[in-house]
Amino acid sequence: MRTHHRLRRGVAVAAALALAAAALAPTAASAAPDAGPAVKVNQVAYVPGLPKQATVVTASGSPLAWALRDASGATVASGQTGVRGPDPSSGDNVHVVDFSSFDTPGTGYVLSVAGTTGNPFDISAEPLKRLRYDALAFFYHQRSGTPIEARHVGSQHARPAGHLNVAPNRGDDGVPCRVSCGYTSDVRGGWYDAGDHGKYGVDTGIAAWQLINEYERTLHVAGADRAALGDGKLAIPERDNEVPDILDEARWGVEFLMRMQVPEGRADAGMARHKVSDENWTGLPMRPDQDPQPRLLSAVTTASTLNLAAAAAQAARVWKGIDADFASRALAAAQRAYAAAKANPTRYADPDDGNGGGTYVDNNVTDEFYWAAAELFTTTGSSAYRADVTGSPLFRGRGFDQGGFDWWWTAGLGDTTLALVPNGLPASDVAATRAAFASYGDRLLDQASTQGYPAPASGYYWGSNGVIANSANVLALAHDFTGQARYRAGVHQALDYLFGRNPFNHSYVTGYGERATRNSHHRFWANQLDPSLPNPPAGLLAGGPNTDLQDPVAQERLAGCKPQKCYLDDINAWSVNEVALNWNAALAWLSAWAAEKAGSGSPADTTAPGTPPGLTATASGDSVSLSWGASTDDVGVTGYDVLRATGSSGAFTRVATVSGTSHADRGLAAGAYRYQVRARDAAGNTSPASSPVPVTVPGGGAGCAVVAAVQTQWDTGYVVQPVRVTNTGSSPITWVVAFTLPSGHSVTGSWNAAVSTSGQGATARAPRPLAPGATAEFGFQASRPSGATALPPNYTCAG
C-alpha cells in the first residue's frame, strides 16, 4: 500500500529556521511532551447513539474498576476495563473502557479509573456542528491578495492584504518565472498553503476539490444536509449573495489555479505552474503584508496541470446553474490543461526547487490522470474522456490498493465522483467502485483494531493527521454507499483519536478540547514568539505525529519516540505542527459529514454476537477447509471473520470475512497453522473468537518471504515502499533482506529498517523480531544517475 511521500517541503525549511534563529523561543532542554492524564478520552464530545470508548495507560494485567461521573459529581455509569496490553504504536500498556451504554447528552462528564481522572468531555453533537464551520473558516484566514476583515474574524485575527505591492511587500500581480520565461503572470488570490506564504497547484487542487465535493455530495446522497452548507453559513465577504458559502470559498482556489495556467502563444501553453513563492525563505514571525521577498513562479508540472484540470472540470459541473460564465471558463481551462498534460506527461517538480517554498515532488501522475479524466468525463460525457477512465489501471477503485486520499495520491477522488455523480457508466462499474470504498474501509478498520489508540493509519509521517482525516472520509463514503453502521462508528473512532484519545491526551484541533494545539507553525499566528500576535483561530488541524522528525526542535525533544508519540506543540516544530490546506479540507469534509449523521439513528448497538460453535479445519494440498456453526445476535449476524496464526505462538490476523459458515484458505506454505472464527454484526460488533483449532499443511518448515513495490520514481531517484516481509515459518525470526543496487545507485534514506550498503550490495535489517505469520514493512529512497531507468531487480529474505 502506498503510504506516504517524503518530500512535501523537505530540508529546504531548514533555511527558514536559520533565518529565524534569532526569534526562536528557548526550548526546554530535551524535555519530553507532557503525556497528560493516564485516562485518554475524546475531550471534545462523544456523540449520542454511537460507541464511546477511552484508553487507559496502566501496568495492571487485570481489569480495573471505572466510573463515569456527571458535572455534579454523581456516578452515572461504572464497569470494568478490558485488558489490551502492550501497544506498539505508542509503547504504552493499555486497557480499554467502553461506556457506550450510557447515552445521556450533557457537559462536563469525567471518567475515572483506579483513582485517575481524565479530562472533561461532553456527550453532544453540538461541537461537531460548530467545527464544520470553523474548519472551513481556515480558508478565509489563508486568503491571499485581500484583507482579512475584523467583521468576519475579530480584531485579533484581522490583517491587511498580502502580496499586493504595498511596501515592503512584493505583489502577485506581475510575477516573473524563477527560470526566465519572457513574461510575467498575474497570480493574485488563492490561499496561502500552510505556515509560509507559498501558493501551490497540487495542494490547492485537492483542497478546492474537497470543498466542492463536500457540497456536491449533498446533491446526490439521500438525506444529506445541503442546508447546512448554504448561503450565509460562513463569516466571509460573499455571504448573502445567493450562492452557497462553501462554493464561494472554493472558487478562490479554482480561480487561482486558472491564473497559474500558461496563456496561449507561450511555451508550454495550457500547462500550469507548480507554485508561486518567495525567492528565499522568510523567518518567523511575519505577516503576509510584511513579507519583503521577491515572488517567483516555478516551472510547469504535469501534476499541477492535472490538478487544475480536475478541479476546474468539477467546478464547471457544479457552477453550471449558478454562474454559467464561470462554468464555461472553468471547463475551457480544464480541457486545455488535460490536453497539455497528455502532451507533457512527465514534467515533474524539481526536487531542488525548495528555497522559498516547498517542493511537492510527485513523479507518479497516473492517479492525477485518472482523477482528471473522471471529472472531465462526468462533466462532459465525452467518449474520449470515458476511454481514458475505463482504460486506466486504477478504474473501478483499484487505486485503493495503494492507499486512500492525499495530495500525492488522488485516484480515490476520481472514484468518489464516479461513485457519487450520475455519469453514464454501467451500473456494474459504479457498484464495483462503491464496493472498493467498503473493501478499503474494512482494511482501515482492521488497522485501527490493532491499536490501543485506534486510528485508521498504517504509519505516522508528515501530515499523518491529514491522512487519518482522509481515511475517515473513505469510511464515511463507505457508509453512504452501504449503510453499514461499522463505517460510521469508524469515522467517530477516528475523531476520538484527533480529539484526544491518543497517547498525549491532546486534541490536534485548535480551540477544541482542554489540551488542544495552540502553537501551530505559522508566520502570523505566532503568539509563542511574539505576544502581540495571535494564537491560531479555532478549527485548525495540526500535521501530527511524524517519525521522520525533520526539524531540529522535534529532533532534540522527540528522539527515540514511538510513532504515535512523535508530536510536539511548538511553533518551531514544523515537521509535526504545521497546518495545511489539504489537511483542513479533509477536516472540514469530515466534520460536516459527522455533524450531518450525528442527529440520526437509534442508540448504538453494543451487543456482540455469540461465539460461533464447532469450528473444524482440514488440510488438503496447499489449502485448509474450515466450517463452523451459525452464531446468534440480538439484531442479526452479517458475516464471519476467519483468523489465522502461523505456528504454535504466532499472532492471529484476519484473512477473510465471509457471509456463510465455511471458507477455504488457499495458497498456504507448508507448516503448522491455527484458526479461529468470530461473528460480526451490522454495527461492527464482533464476538469473542472461537477456541483455536490447529492444522498442519504437509511438509512443515520455516521461512521468510519478501515482496517489494516501487512507490514513485523520477529521473534521478526513486522510492521503494512498501517492502513487505512475511514470516512464513513457525517461530519468530529477526529478518534480513538483501538486494542489489544497479551501478551508480545509492541509498539516501530508509525507514522502519536499518539499511546498509557495501558496494552495490544492500542489506536491510529488522528493528525487532517478527512473529510467525506476521508481516513487517519498510521502505527506502535511492538516487541514480540522471536518465537511468534501472531499479533493484530482486530481493531475498532470510530469518
Side-chain angles (χ1 to χ4, degrees), residues 401-665:
D401 292 342
Q402 299 188 55
F405 307 160
D406 211 333
W407 68 265
W408 48 262
W409 190 246
T410 58
L413 307 184
D415 290 325
T416 300
T417 291
L418 295 175
L420 272 176
V421 185
N423 50 50
L425 286 175
S428 59
D429 288 338
V430 175
T433 304
R434 291 185 169 192
F437 282 83
S439 177
Y440 186 61
D442 287 338
R443 288 165 57 193
L444 294 171
L445 293 178
D446 278 352
Q447 288 172 356
S449 71
T450 67
Q451 301 169 356
Y453 304 97
S458 59
Y460 295 84
Y461 40 86
W462 196 313
S464 65
N465 282 343
V467 173
I468 288 168
N470 271 321
S471 293
N473 291 348
V474 174
L475 292 170
L477 288 164
H479 181 274
D480 280 346
F481 298 147
T482 69
Q484 293 292 306
R486 67 179 181 274
Y487 301 121
R488 180 178 174 224
V491 169
H492 287 271
Q493 187 178 65
L495 285 167
D496 289 348
Y497 171 85
L498 295 177
F499 286 158
R501 190 189 172 194
N502 55 57
F504 292 129
N505 214 142
H506 182 92
S507 172
Y508 291 116
V509 180
T510 59
Y512 283 78
E514 297 290 320
R515 294 166 52 88
T517 295
R518 292 178 52 85
N519 300 307
S520 307
H521 177 78
H522 197 275
R523 281 161 172 74
F524 174 42
W525 305 322
N527 181 267
Q528 184 181 357
L529 301 179
D530 182 348
S532 70
L533 294 175
N535 284 114
L540 278 59
L541 182 63
N546 175 7
T547 56
D548 292 330
L549 302 180
Q550 290 129 314
D551 66 81
V553 175
Q555 291 166 3
E556 177 189 1
R557 295 184 59 186
L558 298 174
C561 56
K562 293 292 184 180
Q564 284 190 345
K565 289 185 176 178
C566 295
Y567 173 78
L568 186 66
D569 184 17
D570 190 297
I571 193 171
N572 295 309
W574 40 263
S575 66
V576 299
N577 210 35
E578 195 166 14
V579 293
L581 294 176
N582 59 321
W583 307 335
N584 246 71
L587 180 66
W589 196 107
L590 175 62
S591 57
W593 187 95
E596 171 190 291
K597 298 297 183 182
S600 62
S602 56
D605 171 15
T606 60
T607 301
T611 302
L615 174 63
T616 62
T618 304
S620 176
D622 67 349
S623 67
V624 172
S625 297
L626 303 157
S627 64
W628 57 90
S631 181
T632 58
D633 184 64
D634 61 330
V635 176
V637 173
T638 60
Y640 297 89
D641 294 340
V642 177
L643 312 177
R644 183 181 68 209
T646 302
S648 60
S649 59
F652 281 93
T653 59
R654 183 168 72 165
V655 294
T657 297
V658 298
S659 58
T661 57
S662 63
H663 175 68
D665 193 19

Side-chain angles (χ1 to χ4, degrees), residues 113-139:
V113 182
T116 299
T117 299
N119 293 112
F121 57 86
D122 298 348
I123 297 178
S124 172
E126 292 308 310
L128 285 174
K129 294 177 181 179
R130 295 194 303 271
L131 179 59
R132 63 184 166 191
Y133 302 127
D134 285 344
L136 285 172
F138 171 78
F139 292 88

Side-chain angles (χ1 to χ4, degrees), residues 29-51:
S30 301
D34 176 13
V39 180
K40 318 291 187 178
V41 298
N42 171 342
Q43 58 188 265
V44 178
Y46 293 90
V47 172
L50 284 164

Side-chain angles (χ1 to χ4, degrees), residues 57 62 102 162 192 402 412 426 439 520 582 647 765:
V57 180
S62 302
F102 183 78
Y192 300 119
Q402 299 188 55
S439 177
S520 307
N582 59 321
R765 298 184 182 278

Side-chain angles (χ1 to χ4, degrees), residues 215 242-244 247 318-324:
Y215 175 80
E242 300 184 357
V243 176
L247 297 185
V318 174
W319 264 269
K320 186 175 181 179
I322 298 173
D323 184 335

